[in-house]
């Protein structure tokens, strides 16, 4: 039986030619395996500590989409009034808009772990107080007070973005990918949070959604805060001005306000349209398709390197969003079909994540050094205010005109955001190098 050649059976041949030594090696060559390709997202999580703080952040962020739905189901089921439930949640939203920037400023000054844990614990006490007040029939005013106490909940999404900005201060392309991942995570939590809340409250008992959301939030924040190696260093004393006064920030925050109106009005109008078609229970699934389209678009957008400065990309993203927001209006007015509307919302969501990613990049670029959490929380506050205004406007249009006409509100809001974006001045990267990254960073973002 013939033997396979081996290194011992076929040694290299040595010979001399003139004054040169020639080595002839006839041994079989082993081909090297091609290098393993890695995606931009996989490279992100090769950085030590990033996986742990991301897991904690996702656990803490999911309840953000659960609390309001759980509160509405719990209060309306106990008191028999959706008006009271809506007023209580609106009060909590207003309180968050006022308190969240102050919480974020404390995070910048004293560190994420030092502030986030007690702030979350206080907010959890507010949720428990609300649960007990509903359970034991306390006066209505106690519901408002208890839910307002949850306003100290820290902006975990902003803190996560601040960590990425700190870790990737020398790699703008990777920072773009990280911001896209965070936006996709926001959309994922937006899809899953209300579904989980409705399932828990409907399957077990009305307070189950609030209880589970509170446990997830506290657990997630504790895991997130424990990852001290990735935490940006605090800035106890920052001579920088408020983010509200930074160059280009006021119109940018107005742009976030208008963008929030897109989300708020689309939610109310879609629910009203589904109700008019006799499929109110399907409204959540239809809205989830918009978030799904945004989630996929965000991941694809993050996998590509950004072309040009964010100031130039932002108006184009808003123009795309304005154009795509006409699709639900056309689907509702031309077909009056819920499946057609669902497909239109899936396509319309494709412009949401790129717009938000680019907008957050501008916020990071323009926020003064040492106040990054505060700057991003102001952007989120603008979104919340826009959602509230959009919900009110969309509801008024539905009430006085029709659900189909209500789909014009997101188009108008997106067009307003585009007009505002065109007024945002271009700012040179040179004076903003330290503004875009967060604490103690000196490389351009």
């Amino acid at each position: 039986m013939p033997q396979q050649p081996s290194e011992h059976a076929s040694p290299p041949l040595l010979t001399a030619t003139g004054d040169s030594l020639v080595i002839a090696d006839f041994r079989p060559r082993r081909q090297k395996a091609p290098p393993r390709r890695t995606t931009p997202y996989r490279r992100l999580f090769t950085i030590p500590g990033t996986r742990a703080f991301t897991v904690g952040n996702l656990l803490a962020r999911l309840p953000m989409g659960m609390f309001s739905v759980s509160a509405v189901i719990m209060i309306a089921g106990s008191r028999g009034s959706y008006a009271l439930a809506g007023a209580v949640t609106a009060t909590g939203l207003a309180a968050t808009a006022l308190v969240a920037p102050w919480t974020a400023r404390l995070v910048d000054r004293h560190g994420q772990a030092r502030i986030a844990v007690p702030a979350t614990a206080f907010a959890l006490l507010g949720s428990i107080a609300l649960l007990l007040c509903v359970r034991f029939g306390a006066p209505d005013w106690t519901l408002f007070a208890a839910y307002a106490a949850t306003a100290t909940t820290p902006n975990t999404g902003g803190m996560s973005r601040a960590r990425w900005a700190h870790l990737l201060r020398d790699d703008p392309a990777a920072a773009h990918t990280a911001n896209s991942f965070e936006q996709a995570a926001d959309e994922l939590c937006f899809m899953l949070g209300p579904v989980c809340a409705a399932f828990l409250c409907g399957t077990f008992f009305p307070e189950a959604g609030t209880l589970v959301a509170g446990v997830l939030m506290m657990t997630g924040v504790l895991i997130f805060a424990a990852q001290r190696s990735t935490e940006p260093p605090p800035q106890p004393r920052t001579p920088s001005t408020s983010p509200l006064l930074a160059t280009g920030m006021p119109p940018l925050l107005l742009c976030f306000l208008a963008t929030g109106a897109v989300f708020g009005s689309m939610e109310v109008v879609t629910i009203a349209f589904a109700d008019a078609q006799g499929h109110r229970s399907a409204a959540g699934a239809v809205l989830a398709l918009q978030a799904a389209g945004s989630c996929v678009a965000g991941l694809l957008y993050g996998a590509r390197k950004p072309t040009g400065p964010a100031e130039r990309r932002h108006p184009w993203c808003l123009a795309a969003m304005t154009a795509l927001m006409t699709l639900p209006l056309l689907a509702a007015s031309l077909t009056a079909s819920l499946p057609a509307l669902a497909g239109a919302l899936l396509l319309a969501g494709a412009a949401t994540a790129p717009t938000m990613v680019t907008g957050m990049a501008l916020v990071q670029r323009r926020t003064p050094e040492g106040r990054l959490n505060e700057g991003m929380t102001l952007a989120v506050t603008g979104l919340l205010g826009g959602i509230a205004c959009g919900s009110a406007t969309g509801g008024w249009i539905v009430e006085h005109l029709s659900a189909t006409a209500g789909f014009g509100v997101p188009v108008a809001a997106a067009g307003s955001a585009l007009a505002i974006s065109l007024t945002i001045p271009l700012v040179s990267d040179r004076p903003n190098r330290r503004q875009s990254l967060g604490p103690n960073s000196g490389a351009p973002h």
Side-chain angles (χ1 to χ4, degrees), residues 116-200:
V117 172
T120 303
F122 188 86
L124 180 60
L125 291 177
S127 296
I128 296 174
L130 175 67
L131 186 153
L132 295 176
C133 290
V134 173
R135 184 73 175 178
F136 295 103
D140 289 349
W141 67 266
T142 62
L143 308 184
F144 291 90
Y147 204 66
T150 65
T152 61
T153 303
N155 178 15
T156 52
M159 290 192 297
S160 184
R161 287 178 172 91
R163 291 198 180 210
W164 287 118
H166 170 66
L167 294 171
L168 303 174
R169 54 190 178 274
D170 297 323
D171 193 343
H176 167 75
T177 302
N179 281 333
S180 299
F181 171 80
E182 291 296 327
Q183 185 59 38
D186 281 341
E187 301 296 345
L188 183 64
C189 293
F190 173 79
M191 286 190 294
L192 296 180
V195 175
C196 292
F199 172 77
L200 291 168

Side-chain angles (χ1 to χ4, degrees), residues 12 21 35 65 126 139 213 240 246-247 252 263 307 309 343 346-347 349 359-360 366 376 398:
L21 177 64
S240 55
T247 304
L252 185 57
F263 305 147
T307 56
L346 179 66
L347 295 175
M360 281 296 184
R366 293 163 186 267
M376 288 191 292
V398 168

Side-chain angles (χ1 to χ4, degrees), residues 133-402:
C133 290
V134 173
R135 184 73 175 178
F136 295 103
D140 289 349
W141 67 266
T142 62
L143 308 184
F144 291 90
Y147 204 66
T150 65
T152 61
T153 303
N155 178 15
T156 52
M159 290 192 297
S160 184
R161 287 178 172 91
R163 291 198 180 210
W164 287 118
H166 170 66
L167 294 171
L168 303 174
R169 54 190 178 274
D170 297 323
D171 193 343
H176 167 75
T177 302
N179 281 333
S180 299
F181 171 80
E182 291 296 327
Q183 185 59 38
D186 281 341
E187 301 296 345
L188 183 64
C189 293
F190 173 79
M191 286 190 294
L192 296 180
V195 175
C196 292
F199 172 77
L200 291 168
C201 295
T203 305
F204 299 101
F205 47 91
E207 298 84 3
T210 300
L211 281 175
V212 173
V215 171
L216 287 175
M217 181 179 67
M218 195 71 239
T219 302
V221 169
L222 288 173
I223 295 174
F224 180 83
Q227 314 309 313
R228 304 300 291 268
S229 63
T230 56
E231 181 180 351
Q235 294 287 315
R237 295 180 181 178
T238 54
S240 55
T241 59
S242 169
L244 283 172
L245 303 178
T247 304
M249 279 292 282
L252 185 57
L253 295 178
L254 286 176
C255 195
F256 273 93
L257 184 72
T259 304
V262 175
F263 305 147
S265 59
M266 185 64 77
E267 181 176 353
V268 171
V269 173
T270 300
I271 293 173
F273 182 84
D275 193 16
Q277 302 298 315
H279 300 287
R280 183 183 178 89
S281 60
V286 173
L287 286 169
L289 287 176
Q290 182 186 4
S294 180
C295 181
V296 173
L299 292 174
L300 293 175
Y301 185 66
R304 301 185 60 185
K305 292 184 178 180
T307 56
E311 289 89 347
R312 299 191 185 279
R313 284 184 279 121
H314 194 234
W316 285 107
C317 291
L318 285 169
M321 186 167 73
T322 304
L324 290 176
M325 284 298 159
T326 62
L327 296 179
L329 176 62
L330 293 174
S333 58
L334 298 179
T335 68
S337 167
L338 193 60
L341 176 65
L345 285 173
L346 179 66
L347 295 175
T352 301
T355 300
M356 292 297 299
V357 170
T358 309
M360 281 296 184
L362 283 175
V363 170
Q364 293 180 21
R365 183 186 301 275
R366 293 163 186 267
T367 299
E369 180 190 3
R371 306 185 76 163
L372 185 56
N373 286 288
E374 183 181 354
M376 288 191 292
T377 301
L378 285 172
V380 173
T381 300
L383 280 175
L384 293 176
I387 290 172
C389 294
S391 297
T393 305
W396 190 91
I397 295 294
V398 168
E399 188 74 21
H400 292 81
L401 297 176
S402 67

